Amino acid sequence: MQLVLISGLSGSGKSIALNVLEDVGYYCIDNLPAKLLEETIQFLADHGYLQVAISVDARSGDSYQYLPALVQQLRQKLNFRLLFLESKTETLVRRFSETRRRHPLSNDHCALPEAITLERDLLDPIAQLAHRIDTSDLSANTLRSWIKDIISLQDARLTLLFASFGFKHGIPLDADFVFDVRCLPNPHYDPLLRPQTGRDQDVIAFLEPIVEVQEMLNDIEAYVRKWLPCFMRDNRAYLTVAIGCTGGQHRSVYLSERLAARFSTSMQTLVRHRELM
Protein backbone atom coordinates (compact mmCIF):
# COMPACT_ATOMS: atom_id res chain seq x y z
CA MET A 1 0.00 0.00 0.00
CA GLN A 2 1.11 3.54 -0.80
CA LEU A 3 -0.15 5.60 2.13
CA VAL A 4 -0.16 9.39 2.52
CA LEU A 5 -1.23 10.95 5.82
CA ILE A 6 -2.17 14.62 5.71
CA SER A 7 -2.48 16.92 8.70
CA GLY A 8 -2.11 20.61 9.31
CA LEU A 9 -3.78 23.84 10.28
CA SER A 10 -7.34 24.60 9.29
CA GLY A 11 -7.34 26.78 6.18
CA SER A 12 -3.83 25.76 5.11
CA GLY A 13 -4.90 23.80 2.04
CA LYS A 14 -5.47 20.22 3.25
CA SER A 15 -8.58 19.86 1.09
CA ILE A 16 -6.59 20.90 -1.99
CA ALA A 17 -3.91 18.32 -1.18
CA LEU A 18 -6.50 15.59 -0.67
CA ASN A 19 -8.23 16.49 -3.96
CA VAL A 20 -4.91 16.24 -5.82
CA LEU A 21 -4.36 12.76 -4.45
CA GLU A 22 -7.89 11.71 -5.34
CA ASP A 23 -7.38 12.98 -8.89
CA VAL A 24 -4.32 10.75 -9.34
CA GLY A 25 -6.08 7.64 -8.10
CA TYR A 26 -5.78 7.60 -4.31
CA TYR A 27 -8.68 6.44 -2.16
CA CYS A 28 -9.15 9.45 0.15
CA ILE A 29 -10.65 9.81 3.61
CA ASP A 30 -11.11 13.24 5.16
CA ASN A 31 -11.38 14.02 8.87
CA LEU A 32 -10.75 10.51 10.19
CA PRO A 33 -10.65 10.35 14.02
CA ALA A 34 -7.08 9.57 15.02
CA LYS A 35 -8.11 6.58 17.15
CA LEU A 36 -9.55 4.87 14.06
CA LEU A 37 -6.40 5.30 11.97
CA GLU A 38 -4.70 1.96 12.61
CA GLU A 39 -7.78 -0.21 12.13
CA THR A 40 -8.84 1.78 9.05
CA ILE A 41 -5.46 1.24 7.41
CA GLN A 42 -5.62 -2.47 8.23
CA PHE A 43 -9.14 -2.74 6.81
CA LEU A 44 -8.14 -1.01 3.56
CA ALA A 45 -5.02 -3.16 3.23
CA ASP A 46 -7.05 -6.34 3.76
CA HIS A 47 -9.46 -5.27 1.02
CA GLY A 48 -6.81 -4.56 -1.57
CA TYR A 49 -6.60 -0.77 -1.57
CA LEU A 50 -3.15 0.08 -3.01
CA GLN A 51 -3.14 3.90 -2.82
CA VAL A 52 -4.68 5.57 0.22
CA ALA A 53 -4.65 9.15 1.52
CA ILE A 54 -6.08 10.02 4.95
CA SER A 55 -6.54 13.45 6.51
CA VAL A 56 -6.38 13.66 10.31
CA ASP A 57 -6.40 17.04 12.05
CA ALA A 58 -7.70 19.06 14.98
CA ARG A 59 -11.28 18.18 14.11
CA SER A 60 -10.52 14.79 15.70
CA GLY A 61 -10.82 16.48 19.09
CA ASP A 62 -9.14 14.80 22.04
CA SER A 63 -8.19 11.72 19.99
CA TYR A 64 -5.63 13.81 18.03
CA GLN A 65 -3.25 13.54 20.99
CA TYR A 66 -2.76 9.86 20.13
CA LEU A 67 -1.61 10.58 16.57
CA PRO A 68 2.16 11.09 17.18
CA ALA A 69 2.43 7.73 18.96
CA LEU A 70 0.36 6.04 16.24
CA VAL A 71 2.62 7.50 13.55
CA GLN A 72 5.70 6.13 15.32
CA GLN A 73 4.07 2.69 15.53
CA LEU A 74 3.01 2.76 11.89
CA ARG A 75 6.52 3.68 10.76
CA GLN A 76 7.73 0.38 12.16
CA LYS A 77 5.27 -1.46 9.91
CA LEU A 78 4.82 0.72 6.81
CA ASN A 79 6.63 3.14 4.53
CA PHE A 80 4.37 6.16 4.17
CA ARG A 81 4.48 9.91 3.67
CA LEU A 82 3.31 12.29 6.38
CA LEU A 83 2.55 15.81 5.14
CA PHE A 84 1.80 18.76 7.40
CA LEU A 85 0.38 21.95 5.87
CA GLU A 86 0.69 25.27 7.68
CA SER A 87 0.47 29.02 7.06
CA LYS A 88 1.17 32.28 8.82
CA THR A 89 -1.52 33.39 11.24
CA GLU A 90 -2.33 36.55 9.27
CA THR A 91 -2.78 34.46 6.11
CA LEU A 92 -5.16 32.07 7.85
CA VAL A 93 -7.17 34.96 9.33
CA ARG A 94 -7.54 36.44 5.85
CA ARG A 95 -8.60 33.12 4.34
CA PHE A 96 -11.25 32.50 6.99
CA SER A 97 -12.52 36.07 6.57
CA GLU A 98 -12.77 35.64 2.79
CA THR A 99 -14.61 32.30 2.97
CA ARG A 100 -16.64 33.25 6.07
CA ARG A 101 -16.11 29.75 7.42
CA ARG A 102 -15.85 29.05 11.14
CA HIS A 103 -12.57 27.80 12.56
CA PRO A 104 -13.15 24.40 14.25
CA LEU A 105 -11.64 25.62 17.54
CA SER A 106 -13.24 29.06 17.67
CA ASN A 107 -16.22 29.84 19.89
CA ASP A 108 -17.81 32.70 21.81
CA HIS A 109 -14.85 32.79 24.17
CA CYS A 110 -12.04 32.23 21.64
CA ALA A 111 -11.42 34.68 18.80
CA LEU A 112 -10.05 33.51 15.45
CA PRO A 113 -6.35 34.43 16.03
CA GLU A 114 -6.47 32.72 19.43
CA ALA A 115 -8.05 29.61 17.89
CA ILE A 116 -5.28 29.47 15.27
CA THR A 117 -2.60 29.75 17.97
CA LEU A 118 -4.31 27.05 20.02
CA GLU A 119 -4.50 24.76 16.99
CA ARG A 120 -0.85 25.40 16.10
CA ASP A 121 0.23 24.38 19.62
CA LEU A 122 -2.04 21.33 19.57
CA LEU A 123 -0.68 20.10 16.25
CA ASP A 124 3.00 20.88 16.87
CA PRO A 125 3.97 17.32 17.99
CA ILE A 126 2.84 15.86 14.66
CA ALA A 127 4.33 18.76 12.69
CA GLN A 128 7.75 17.80 14.09
CA LEU A 129 7.40 14.32 12.55
CA ALA A 130 6.14 15.41 9.13
CA HIS A 131 7.28 17.01 5.91
CA ARG A 132 6.02 20.55 6.49
CA ILE A 133 4.68 22.72 3.67
CA ASP A 134 4.24 26.45 4.25
CA THR A 135 1.32 27.49 2.04
CA SER A 136 1.27 31.15 3.17
CA ASP A 137 2.35 32.54 -0.20
CA LEU A 138 1.27 29.70 -2.48
CA SER A 139 -1.50 29.73 -5.03
CA ALA A 140 -3.75 26.69 -5.19
CA ASN A 141 -2.13 25.63 -8.46
CA THR A 142 1.37 25.85 -6.99
CA LEU A 143 0.33 23.74 -3.99
CA ARG A 144 -1.15 21.15 -6.34
CA SER A 145 2.13 21.04 -8.24
CA TRP A 146 4.18 20.63 -5.07
CA ILE A 147 1.96 17.79 -3.82
CA LYS A 148 2.37 15.99 -7.15
CA ASP A 149 6.15 16.42 -6.94
CA ILE A 150 6.21 14.87 -3.47
CA ILE A 151 4.09 11.83 -4.27
CA SER A 152 6.06 11.17 -7.46
CA LEU A 153 9.24 10.63 -5.42
CA GLN A 154 10.44 7.11 -4.92
CA ASP A 155 10.31 5.77 -1.40
CA ALA A 156 13.64 6.81 0.08
CA ARG A 157 15.14 7.24 3.49
CA LEU A 158 15.48 10.99 3.14
CA THR A 159 14.64 13.60 0.50
CA LEU A 160 16.68 16.80 0.50
CA LEU A 161 14.70 19.92 -0.46
CA PHE A 162 16.42 23.19 -1.40
CA ALA A 163 14.07 26.16 -1.23
CA SER A 164 14.87 29.72 -2.29
CA PHE A 165 12.99 32.65 -0.77
CA GLY A 166 13.08 36.43 -0.30
CA PHE A 167 13.59 37.79 3.21
CA LYS A 168 11.32 40.73 2.43
CA HIS A 169 8.45 38.23 2.18
CA GLY A 170 9.35 36.38 5.38
CA ILE A 171 11.19 33.18 6.30
CA PRO A 172 9.44 29.92 5.28
CA LEU A 173 7.79 28.20 8.23
CA ASP A 174 8.82 24.77 6.95
CA ALA A 175 12.60 25.40 6.84
CA ASP A 176 14.94 23.13 8.83
CA PHE A 177 18.04 25.17 7.95
CA VAL A 178 18.06 28.83 6.85
CA PHE A 179 21.07 30.39 5.10
CA ASP A 180 21.21 34.15 4.51
CA VAL A 181 23.04 35.03 1.26
CA ARG A 182 22.14 38.74 1.16
CA CYS A 183 25.81 39.61 1.70
CA LEU A 184 26.67 38.45 -1.84
CA PRO A 185 26.78 40.83 -4.85
CA ASN A 186 23.25 41.44 -6.11
CA PRO A 187 22.37 41.15 -9.83
CA HIS A 188 19.28 43.24 -9.10
CA TYR A 189 21.32 46.42 -9.52
CA ASP A 190 22.13 45.60 -13.14
CA PRO A 191 19.13 46.84 -15.21
CA LEU A 192 19.65 44.04 -17.75
CA LEU A 193 19.69 41.32 -15.07
CA ARG A 194 16.92 42.71 -12.86
CA PRO A 195 13.99 41.04 -14.68
CA GLN A 196 15.82 37.71 -14.96
CA THR A 197 16.23 34.96 -12.33
CA GLY A 198 19.01 32.80 -10.94
CA ARG A 199 18.12 30.13 -13.50
CA ASP A 200 18.88 32.40 -16.46
CA GLN A 201 22.27 32.14 -18.13
CA ASP A 202 23.08 35.86 -17.87
CA VAL A 203 22.59 35.83 -14.10
CA ILE A 204 24.58 32.61 -13.80
CA ALA A 205 27.41 34.21 -15.79
CA PHE A 206 27.32 37.20 -13.40
CA LEU A 207 27.46 35.12 -10.20
CA GLU A 208 29.68 32.23 -11.26
CA PRO A 209 33.05 34.05 -11.32
CA ILE A 210 32.57 35.77 -7.95
CA VAL A 211 34.82 34.17 -5.35
CA GLU A 212 32.48 34.91 -2.42
CA VAL A 213 29.56 33.23 -4.21
CA GLN A 214 31.53 30.03 -4.75
CA GLU A 215 32.81 30.09 -1.18
CA MET A 216 29.26 30.46 0.12
CA LEU A 217 28.15 27.58 -2.11
CA ASN A 218 30.96 25.34 -0.88
CA ASP A 219 30.42 26.25 2.77
CA ILE A 220 26.69 25.52 2.68
CA GLU A 221 27.35 22.23 0.92
CA ALA A 222 29.96 21.25 3.50
CA TYR A 223 27.65 22.14 6.40
CA VAL A 224 24.71 20.15 5.01
CA ARG A 225 26.93 17.15 4.20
CA LYS A 226 28.36 17.20 7.73
CA TRP A 227 24.99 17.12 9.48
CA LEU A 228 22.99 15.06 6.96
CA PRO A 229 23.92 11.71 8.58
CA CYS A 230 22.41 12.89 11.87
CA PHE A 231 19.06 13.53 10.21
CA MET A 232 19.23 10.18 8.44
CA ARG A 233 19.82 8.41 11.76
CA ASP A 234 16.80 10.28 13.11
CA ASN A 235 14.69 8.60 10.39
CA ARG A 236 13.71 11.90 8.84
CA ALA A 237 11.88 11.60 5.53
CA TYR A 238 12.59 15.19 4.42
CA LEU A 239 15.11 17.91 5.18
CA THR A 240 14.39 21.44 3.95
CA VAL A 241 17.34 23.79 3.38
CA ALA A 242 16.10 27.34 2.77
CA ILE A 243 18.37 29.82 0.98
CA GLY A 244 17.32 33.46 1.31
CA CYS A 245 18.30 36.67 -0.44
CA THR A 246 16.48 40.01 -0.49
CA GLY A 247 13.86 39.33 -3.14
CA GLY A 248 14.26 35.58 -3.69
CA GLN A 249 14.87 36.00 -7.41
CA HIS A 250 18.60 35.87 -8.18
CA ARG A 251 21.21 34.76 -5.61
CA SER A 252 19.07 32.36 -3.59
CA VAL A 253 17.68 30.77 -6.75
CA TYR A 254 21.16 30.30 -8.23
CA LEU A 255 22.54 28.72 -5.04
CA SER A 256 19.52 26.45 -4.54
CA GLU A 257 19.84 25.12 -8.08
CA ARG A 258 23.58 24.56 -7.71
CA LEU A 259 23.24 22.81 -4.35
CA ALA A 260 20.48 20.54 -5.64
CA ALA A 261 22.63 19.58 -8.61
CA ARG A 262 25.57 18.70 -6.36
CA PHE A 263 23.50 16.53 -4.01
CA SER A 264 21.35 14.89 -6.71
CA THR A 265 24.17 12.53 -7.67
CA SER A 266 24.00 10.81 -4.30
CA MET A 267 20.45 11.25 -3.02
CA GLN A 268 16.90 12.28 -3.86
CA THR A 269 16.48 16.06 -4.14
CA LEU A 270 13.78 18.64 -4.85
CA VAL A 271 14.07 22.36 -5.65
CA ARG A 272 11.45 25.02 -4.92
CA HIS A 273 11.56 28.74 -5.66
CA ARG A 274 8.86 30.40 -3.56
CA GLU A 275 9.06 33.85 -5.11
CA LEU A 276 9.10 32.59 -8.70
CA MET A 277 5.70 30.87 -8.42
Side-chain angles (χ1 to χ4, degrees):
M1 177 189 289
Q2 296 179 34
L3 175 65
V4 179
L5 296 182
I6 299 174
S7 190
L9 302 179
S10 302
S12 62
K14 300 189 301 295
S15 296
I16 292 174
L18 209 59
N19 289 338
V20 170
L21 292 165
E22 188 170 35
D23 289 343
V24 298
Y26 279 72
Y27 180 79
C28 296
I29 301 175
D30 186 21
N31 192 21
L32 182 73
K35 276 192 173 181
L36 300 179
L37 181 60
E38 196 167 11
E39 60 189 89
T40 300
I41 292 171
Q42 187 62 56
F43 174 85
L44 294 172
D46 291 343
H47 288 77
Y49 289 86
L50 300 179
Q51 293 182 309
V52 175
I54 300 174
S55 173
V56 184
D57 52 46
R59 293 172 293 176
S60 291
D62 292 340
S63 72
Y64 190 87
Q65 64 184 305
Y66 301 105
L67 187 57
L70 285 172
V71 165
Q72 299 287 23
Q73 293 172 21
L74 287 171
R75 277 187 170 155
Q76 298 176 11
K77 306 174 185 177
L78 298 170
N79 286 322
F80 66 92
R81 304 187 195 281
L82 175 60
L83 307 182
F84 186 91
L85 278 62
E86 57 189 328
S87 291
K88 299 171 186 173
T89 298
E90 56 267 30
T91 301
L92 295 173
V93 169
R94 188 187 72 245
R95 289 174 182 172
F96 273 100
S97 298
E98 290 172 350
T99 61
R100 298 185 180 180
R101 295 187 62 195
R102 178 182 172 274
H103 190 281
L105 299 185
S106 65
N107 53 47
D108 293 339
H109 308 289
C110 184
L112 179 55
E114 296 169 335
I116 293 170
T117 300
L118 179 62
E119 184 181 35
R120 198 184 298 278
D121 292 341
L122 173 68
L123 272 54
D124 184 66
I126 201 67
Q128 300 304 320
L129 301 174
H131 174 50
R132 297 162 61 188
I133 303 176
D134 180 1
T135 68
S136 303
D137 302 297
L138 300 186
S139 67
N141 283 336
T142 299
L143 178 57
R144 292 186 188 101
S145 175
W146 285 15
I147 296 296
K148 289 178 182 177
D149 286 343
I150 290 170
I151 63 173
S152 68
L153 294 171
Q154 298 177 357
D155 287 334
R157 196 170 177 188
L158 185 141
T159 297
L160 191 54
L161 170 62
F162 292 98
S164 70
F165 72 96
F167 274 96
K168 68 180 182 180
H169 301 296
I171 298 174
L173 297 175
D174 50 6
D176 295 300
F177 291 131
V178 176
F179 292 96
D180 184 349
V181 300
R182 288 176 291 183
C183 61
L184 300 177
N186 193 351
H188 173 82
Y189 296 110
D190 185 327
L192 296 177
L193 300 180
R194 187 172 302 163
Q196 300 187 49
T197 76
R199 293 185 293 192
D200 292 317
Q201 192 55 48
D202 290 342
V203 175
I204 294 171
F206 173 90
L207 293 170
E208 201 97 301
I210 299 173
V211 173
E212 292 91 339
V213 172
Q214 298 310 313
E215 288 180 345
M216 179 72 79
L217 178 60
N218 293 335
D219 286 349
I220 295 174
E221 179 187 6
Y223 184 90
V224 174
R225 287 197 187 279
K226 177 180 179 179
W227 292 105
L228 200 52
C230 294
F231 287 90
M232 289 178 169
R233 288 196 297 270
D234 197 37
N235 294 318
R236 289 285 294 271
Y238 300 90
L239 181 68
T240 300
V241 180
I243 314 293
C245 61
T246 306
Q249 182 175 337
H250 298 109
R251 296 163 292 180
S252 60
V253 171
Y254 167 82
L255 288 168
S256 296
E257 291 282 347
R258 285 293 183 267
L259 287 163
R262 290 188 179 188
F263 281 91
S264 64
T265 59
S266 58
M267 63 186 308
Q268 195 160 239
T269 61
L270 284 176
V271 187
R272 292 179 184 161
H273 303 300
R274 189 183 72 180
E275 318 308 349
L276 303 188
M277 298 299 179

